Amino acid sequence: MDIADLQRRLRDFAAARDWDPYLTPKNLAMALVVESAELVEIFQWKTAEESRQLSPDEHRHLGEEVADVLMYLLQIADRAGIDLPAAVDRKIEMNAKKYPAPTA
């Protein structure tokens, strides 16, 4: 997955529709929360096992909602000037220190 290419495609998509004035980090974060809720809704009232055995339609819908969440997240990072690979690397390092693997 080429993050920079996806961000460019999302910028081009928004620019072609004159959406740029609305795509502020604040608005994108709010939209991300809405899409995250739609993602969670797929699993609402399912058991852990049922959540692993979605119907083909539910699985397709899950993919759509995951894509929505990812696209909003990519746009937030892009418009806020966040280097996502560097931020992820930094966060993994922080988590490794905070939650060290058990030693045998």
Side-chain angles (χ1 to χ4, degrees), residues 69-88:
V69 168
L70 177 62
M71 289 187 300
Y72 279 119
L73 187 60
L74 289 170
Q75 290 177 89
I76 292 167
D78 187 36
R79 292 175 186 267
I82 303 295
D83 178 342
L84 271 176
V88 169

Side-chain angles (χ1 to χ4, degrees), residues 29-75:
M30 291 171 36
L32 174 67
V33 170
V34 171
E35 293 301 335
S36 296
E38 291 178 11
L39 176 62
V40 170
E41 186 178 30
I42 294 168
F43 299 110
Q44 187 176 20
W45 312 121
K46 292 189 183 310
T47 65
E49 188 56 33
E50 290 169 337
S51 74
R52 293 183 185 101
Q53 299 175 357
L54 299 177
S55 72
D57 283 344
E58 290 170 321
H59 192 262
R60 178 196 46 77
H61 186 203
L62 176 63
E64 292 166 358
E65 297 306 335
V66 167
D68 283 339
V69 168
L70 177 62
M71 289 187 300
Y72 279 119
L73 187 60
L74 289 170
Q75 290 177 89

